[in-house]
Amino acid sequence: MAEVAATQERLTSLERQSWVAWQGHDHDFFARMLADDHVDVGTRGVADKASVIAGVASPACTVKSYALGDLKFTRLSADSAMIVYRAQQDTMCGTARVPSPTWVTSVYVNRDGQWLNTSFQLTPIESP
């Protein structure tokens, strides 16, 4: 049970750090955190690790602010886990506003003792 709690703490921390890195254009963080076979799914389609890193490094997007809801952790197997939460952000990419709020689904795998993100998906929340 202690191992599951430690994994939950590690992955929710990584997830929160990813938002700090996104806001700060810290592409090195994403180079370390994303698996080579990472898949990112958003309103503009599907992106791979290289595309995500290039996008984070680019000055095209400006994250003014963000807020994350409670992160729900689910252990999928000994070497995989999923985090789901609600996120709000005030972000512009060029002249386009990034949809907000969204549901986020983020999947991690443990490879050779290192937790890596293999999938990140934003699902816009429709207004009532």
Side-chain angles (χ1 to χ4, degrees):
M1 204 59 153
E3 181 207 342
V4 172
T7 299
Q8 178 176 356
E9 184 177 325
R10 172 73 179 132
L11 297 186
T12 55
S13 175
L14 275 174
E15 196 67 21
R16 292 183 190 283
Q17 289 173 51
S18 74
W19 283 85
V20 173
W22 164 231
Q23 186 174 41
H25 299 279
D26 184 356
H27 56 87
D28 290 333
F29 174 84
F30 285 92
R32 292 186 309 273
M33 178 241 209
L34 301 180
D36 289 341
D37 57 350
H38 174 82
V39 176
D40 194 284
V41 182
T43 57
R44 295 182 176 180
V46 178
D48 62 7
K49 178 180 180 173
S51 298
V52 171
I53 292 169
V56 170
S58 167
C61 295
T62 302
V63 181
K64 287 186 182 177
S65 64
Y66 65 88
L68 309 182
D70 290 335
L71 280 67
K72 181 180 181 329
F73 174 86
T74 303
R75 188 76 181 247
L76 301 173
S77 73
D79 293 322
S80 63
M82 174 177 65
I83 299 173
V84 177
Y85 57 97
R86 187 179 192 276
Q88 288 186 213
Q89 62 180 308
D90 181 2
T91 300
M92 295 292 291
C93 290
T95 59
R97 183 167 301 283
V98 172
S100 182
T102 59
W103 288 111
V104 176
T105 304
S106 196
V107 179
Y108 290 84
V109 296
N110 188 320
R111 294 186 178 150
D112 299 323
Q114 183 178 2
W115 285 99
L116 301 169
N117 188 284
T118 58
S119 176
F120 182 86
Q121 180 168 347
L122 292 176
T123 305
I125 299 173
E126 294 183 17
S127 20

